Amino acid sequence: MGAVVVTAAAGPAASTRATGVMVGGTTFANIVGVPLGTVAGQLSGWQGPFWTLAVLSLAAAAVIARRLPADSGGAESTLRGEVASLSNGRLWLVYLSVALVQGGIMAFYSYVAPLLTDRAGLAEAVVPLALLGYGACALVGTSLGGRLGGHRPYAALLPATALTALVLAAITL
């Protein structure tokens, strides 16, 4: 939903850069949130951060519902048109690519703490710092990708995806 809203608001000329800014915001949230959540989980048990996020999500939903402008009535879409778009093979390739890259990144996040402590031998106290460093690098990459993607989308997308695959493959070793 965020990508749809931000690209519509920015217009075709700036949609890639606007998407980069939006993803940069979520990356920044991970830079701060994941290490803080890790520390909170270490102090309060793994459920503590999830309860906190549930309460914050409800508060955010209330603020968004109150502040979001009414639908501007952009392009009308029909169920028939939406279903027809699913016959586009290139669209499914994009869906598959996004699912694989995001799935790999989420799998990394799911197992990074045990990888750092059990395999790399780092102390639990160091895990939030490692996550902070990872998040900072991800923010830099997202910002550069958003800027480059506006001018040369494939020059940004293909190397970034390949690099992500290489890093995830290296972690398995």
Side-chain angles (χ1 to χ4, degrees):
M1 287 303 296
V4 170
V5 171
V6 76
T7 55
S15 64
T16 303
R17 189 167 182 188
T19 302
V21 170
M22 181 199 71
V23 173
T26 59
T27 303
F28 183 73
N30 280 326
I31 291 172
V32 175
V34 172
L36 285 177
T38 302
V39 170
Q42 290 171 346
L43 296 174
S44 69
W46 69 269
Q47 291 113 334
F50 287 99
W51 282 111
T52 302
L53 287 174
V55 170
L56 290 173
S57 295
L58 285 174
V63 170
I64 290 168
R66 185 168 173 84
R67 304 282 306 189
L68 194 66
D71 188 9
S72 62
E76 284 294 318
S77 64
T78 63
L79 181 58
R80 176 175 280 150
E82 295 294 322
V83 171
S85 72
L86 295 177
S87 66
N88 184 341
R90 293 179 71 169
L91 180 63
W92 283 102
L93 183 60
V94 170
Y95 287 157
L96 178 62
S97 300
V98 169
L100 290 173
V101 170
Q102 290 300 315
I105 291 169
M106 291 300 114
F108 170 77
Y109 261 142
S110 298
Y111 294 102
V112 69
L115 283 170
L116 292 173
T117 56
D118 298 346
R119 296 290 184 176
L122 296 176
E124 273 191 19
V126 178
V127 171
L129 294 175
L131 293 173
L132 182 66
Y134 174 81
C137 291
L139 180 61
V140 169
T142 300
S143 298
L144 292 174
R147 290 185 186 279
L148 180 60
H151 303 291
R152 299 179 58 204
Y154 294 113
L157 179 65
L158 297 176
T161 303
L163 184 60
T164 299
L166 286 173
V167 168
L168 292 172
I171 289 170
T172 66
L173 302 175

